[in-house]
Amino acid sequence: MENAPDHGRTVRNGSLAMIGLGVLLFVLSLVYLIPHDMGVTSALRSRGVHVPAVVTECTEVSAPQDNPAGNSHCRVRFTTSEGASVETRLAYVTDTVKARDTVAVVYDPRHTDVAALASSIGFWNSLGRNALDVVALVASVVMALLGLAVHLAYRRLTRARRRPTALQAVRR
């Protein structure tokens, strides 16, 4: 019986891992994902300047077998309304452009290194990105709560198993 697996330890460690990962994903969603996507989009919508740009290079986000949509990080070069030439990476990945394409971008005049395709800050694209952020937030809460529920149930069951029953107490 010495080599029997300790399922209790597995349940306890698994539930603690779920709690930890849930809290980590929750913090990541609140601190980075949601503010980044909403901040870039709202800045470009409120004060963005539309200009033509040339795509200088595109790099796939991962290997082709892992990236069936063909999403790429692209860099663009454009001239600001003040006449300065700027080359920067687009704020969002895209699958619609390739190197040497001429595209319409929106850039933030306060921070010229922030630019996105004009089509990327439309209502439906923003809704899709924000929906994924909210799904990540909800998934993190569900993970943490499920891990907590399993952990508390495990503790309650192990305490009940260790506690003597009334019949055992009378026999002593």
Side-chain angles (χ1 to χ4, degrees):
M1 206 60 160
E2 290 177 22
N3 294 331
D6 186 2
H7 296 294
R9 178 177 287 171
T10 303
V11 169
R12 186 186 70 236
N13 291 344
S15 65
L16 292 175
M18 280 186 70
I19 292 168
L21 288 174
V23 168
L24 181 67
L25 184 58
F26 183 80
V27 169
L28 179 68
S29 295
L30 284 182
V31 172
Y32 178 74
L33 293 175
I34 293 173
H36 174 265
D37 287 345
M38 293 186 75
V40 168
T41 301
S42 67
L44 293 176
R45 279 189 185 155
S46 65
R47 61 179 177 264
V49 176
H50 292 256
V51 293
V54 175
V55 179
T56 57
E57 71 174 301
C58 289
T59 308
E60 288 196 12
V61 294
S62 61
Q65 67 271 19
D66 300 328
N67 184 16
N71 288 328
S72 299
H73 290 289
C74 294
R75 296 186 65 78
V76 293
R77 182 178 298 121
F78 60 91
T79 303
T80 65
S81 55
E82 289 81 32
S85 180
V86 175
E87 183 171 337
T88 188
R89 190 172 103 174
L90 292 173
Y92 305 114
V93 296
T94 181
D95 64 344
T96 60
V97 299
K98 58 186 181 300
R100 294 186 296 283
D101 283 354
T102 300
V103 295
V105 297
V106 181
Y107 76 93
D108 184 351
R110 293 185 193 166
H111 307 281
T112 56
D113 59 327
V114 176
L117 293 174
S119 60
S120 294
I121 61 170
F123 176 75
W124 293 110
N125 286 334
S126 297
L127 184 65
R129 272 192 304 278
N130 292 340
L132 289 175
D133 294 343
V134 170
V135 166
L137 190 63
V138 169
S140 69
V141 170
V142 169
M143 275 181 68
L145 291 176
L146 186 61
L148 184 62
V150 168
H151 186 71
L152 292 175
Y154 167 75
R155 286 187 60 182
R156 177 169 277 187
L157 288 173
T158 56
R159 275 193 201 149
R161 206 175 297 150
R162 285 187 218 150
R163 195 176 308 144
T165 62
L167 184 60
Q168 289 173 338
V170 170
R171 286 184 185 167
R172 287 185 190 176

